[in-house]
């Protein structure tokens, strides 16, 4: 998640350069054909293009609203994971006095949320943005690793490296960890360390984690409906392609101020196309909030904050440091 107060020019250029270069070439060719080669017929009345632009703006705005809903829902789901984790830790520690059992159970929970994080960051080709500029920006961060490498490091961090070979081929490892947590609560109940009501309350918290995990997986595995995502890009490209030819007729009316005014078609076409293209990019880069990009939910930071809270409850020090922003991006 980008947390800077302002976008710097180099970052803006990374996202805008491809569209600006295309528009510059197209508008320059259009002006040259119109002014130098005297192909006056290529000028298009601006009114139809303005009407198309209005329709495209509404369509892109609708897409962006849907993308924002997905982004905000993802953040709410991880807020739920945070709150449920704190409640689970406090409840379990208040019911079970054995420090070793507390530590083992809650560290398995920390492993669980981190495995969910890694699973959500797996790359799904159809769920990744066509332009990967926002992904390449954070690609050098240590937090963005290939799944198996990151998973192996995670098991090593929790001193459970022996489980890596057993679990690495499981389709959904987080499910198996949570299943083991259910089994552990049942064992404690049978040993009379938990009564029926205490066991029921704790299993409800684990069930809530399943619900929250499922919500995240739904967003990850279900793309924004293609009729909105694909046609939005097509309409913006169509509008930007027609824009310079519509600008010719507008700038031609200003030639009383000098023949040079027709060349204003180039910068104004670049400016307007940049606005529309950026609006479309905002929706595209927001629709998949677990896409390893700069606009994603900072699930690494959330997992680390949960880890700090739980280890502090357990009285284990030193606590891990909070994750610091990478190039003004919180991962």
């Amino acid at each position: 998640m980008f947390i800077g107060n302002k976008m710097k020019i180099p970052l803006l250029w990374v996202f805008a350069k491809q569209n600006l270069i295309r528009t510059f070439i197209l508008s320059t060719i259009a002006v040259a054909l119109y002014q130098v080669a005297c192909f006056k017929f290529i000028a298009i009345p601006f009114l139809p293009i303005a009407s198309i632009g209005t329709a495209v703006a509404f369509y892109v705005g609708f897409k962006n609203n849907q993308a924002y809903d997905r982004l905000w829902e993802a953040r709410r789901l991880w807020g739920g994971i945070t709150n449920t984790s704190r409640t689970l830790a406090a409840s379990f520690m208040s019911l079970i006095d054995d420090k070793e059992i507390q530590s083992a159970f809650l560290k398995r929970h920390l492993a669980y949320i981190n495995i969910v994080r890694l699973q959500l960051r797996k790359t799904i080709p159809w769920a990744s943005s066509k332009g990967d500029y926002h992904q390449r920006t954070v690609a050098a961060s240590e937090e963005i690793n290939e799944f198996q490498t990151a998973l192996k490091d995670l098991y090593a961090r929790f001193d459970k490296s022996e489980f890596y070979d057993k679990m690495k081929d499981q389709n959904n490892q987080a499910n198996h960890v949570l299943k083991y947590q259910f089994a552990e609560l049942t064992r404690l109940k049978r040993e009379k360390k938990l009564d029926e009501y205490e066991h029921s309350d704790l299993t409800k918290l684990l069930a809530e984690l399943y619900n929250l995990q499922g919500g995240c997986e739904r967003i990850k595995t279900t793309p924004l409906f293609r009729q909105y995502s694909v046609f939005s890009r097509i309409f913006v490209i169509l509008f930007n392609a027609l824009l310079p030819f519509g600008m010719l007729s507008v700038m031609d009316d200003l030639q009383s101020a000098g023949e040079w005014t027709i060349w204003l078609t180039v910068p104004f076409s670049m400016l307007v196309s940049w606005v529309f293209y950026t609006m479309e990019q905002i929706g595209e880069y927001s629709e998949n909030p677990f896409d390893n990009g700069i606009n994603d939910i900072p699930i690494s930071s959330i997992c680390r904050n949960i880890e700090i809270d739980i280890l502090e409850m357990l009285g284990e020090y030193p606590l891990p440091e909070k994750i610091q922003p990478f190039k003004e991006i919180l991962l």
Side-chain angles (χ1 to χ4, degrees), residues 41-77:
F41 62 89
I42 66 173
I44 303 173
F46 190 74
L47 182 59
I49 297 177
S51 300
I52 293 174
T54 302
V56 171
F58 277 110
Y59 198 89
V60 173
F62 177 80
K63 172 193 172 180
N64 286 359
N65 283 338
Q66 304 306 307
Y68 177 81
D69 286 344
R70 289 166 61 89
L71 188 69
W72 182 239
E73 183 185 1
R75 182 60 186 89
R76 289 174 61 188
L77 288 168

Side-chain angles (χ1 to χ4, degrees), residues 19-268:
N19 175 67
L20 290 178
I21 292 171
R22 283 198 304 254
T23 306
F24 174 78
I25 293 172
L26 179 61
S27 57
T28 301
I29 292 173
V31 174
L33 290 174
Y34 183 85
Q35 187 73 2
V36 180
C38 295
F39 290 173
K40 303 296 183 181
F41 62 89
I42 66 173
I44 303 173
F46 190 74
L47 182 59
I49 297 177
S51 300
I52 293 174
T54 302
V56 171
F58 277 110
Y59 198 89
V60 173
F62 177 80
K63 172 193 172 180
N64 286 359
N65 283 338
Q66 304 306 307
Y68 177 81
D69 286 344
R70 289 166 61 89
L71 188 69
W72 182 239
E73 183 185 1
R75 182 60 186 89
R76 289 174 61 188
L77 288 168
W78 272 91
I81 290 175
T82 299
N83 295 338
T84 304
S85 297
R86 290 168 176 165
T87 305
L88 178 65
S91 298
F92 190 82
M93 293 180 67
S94 68
L95 297 173
I96 301 296
D97 295 327
D98 191 309
K99 299 296 183 182
E100 290 186 5
I101 295 177
Q102 288 180 4
S103 179
F105 184 86
L106 294 179
K107 285 184 178 179
R108 271 195 304 272
H109 176 71
L110 296 178
Y112 162 75
I113 61 173
N114 279 281
I115 291 173
V116 172
R117 166 179 63 86
L118 295 177
Q119 290 181 172
L120 290 174
R121 279 191 167 151
K122 280 184 178 180
T123 300
I124 301 177
W126 54 259
S128 298
S129 302
K130 183 177 180 181
D132 63 350
Y133 316 113
H134 72 309
Q135 296 164 323
R136 287 184 301 195
T137 305
V138 299
S141 170
E142 295 179 355
E143 285 298 319
I144 307 298
N145 290 321
E146 192 272 337
F147 175 72
Q148 291 296 345
T149 301
L151 191 65
K152 191 172 185 178
D153 291 343
L154 176 64
Y155 279 111
R157 184 156 67 88
F158 285 100
D159 298 323
K160 299 293 182 183
S161 297
E162 68 274 13
F163 290 110
Y164 172 73
D165 290 330
K166 298 178 182 178
M167 299 286 287
K168 67 178 181 179
D169 296 324
Q170 298 287 350
N171 182 55
N172 193 326
Q173 296 188 35
N175 277 354
H176 290 277
V177 176
L178 207 53
K179 174 186 173 184
Y180 190 88
Q181 295 287 71
F182 273 99
E184 179 67 7
L185 291 181
T186 300
R187 183 185 69 81
L188 293 173
K189 177 187 173 185
R190 288 172 178 168
E191 292 178 357
K192 306 299 183 182
K193 293 181 179 179
L194 292 173
D195 62 31
E196 291 184 5
Y197 298 105
E198 293 167 346
H199 176 266
S200 175
D201 289 342
L202 290 174
T203 54
K204 285 178 182 178
L205 292 173
L206 295 182
E208 179 62 16
L209 290 172
Y210 264 135
N211 291 333
L212 296 167
Q213 176 189 339
C216 293
E217 290 170 346
R218 170 173 48 79
I219 294 174
K220 176 69 175 180
T221 58
T222 306
L224 181 66
F225 296 121
R226 297 294 91 178
Q227 62 266 37
Y228 300 120
S229 182
V230 174
F231 280 103
S232 174
R233 170 65 67 93
I234 292 173
F235 293 158
V236 169
I237 292 175
L238 176 64
F239 173 77
N240 287 347
L242 293 175
L243 182 62
F245 301 97
M247 284 285 186
L248 288 173
S249 59
V250 176
M251 296 306 168
D252 188 55
D253 294 337
L254 300 177
Q255 288 213 49
S256 58
E259 292 188 0
W260 60 270
T261 56
I262 195 68
W263 290 98
L264 291 176
T265 298
V266 177
F268 278 106

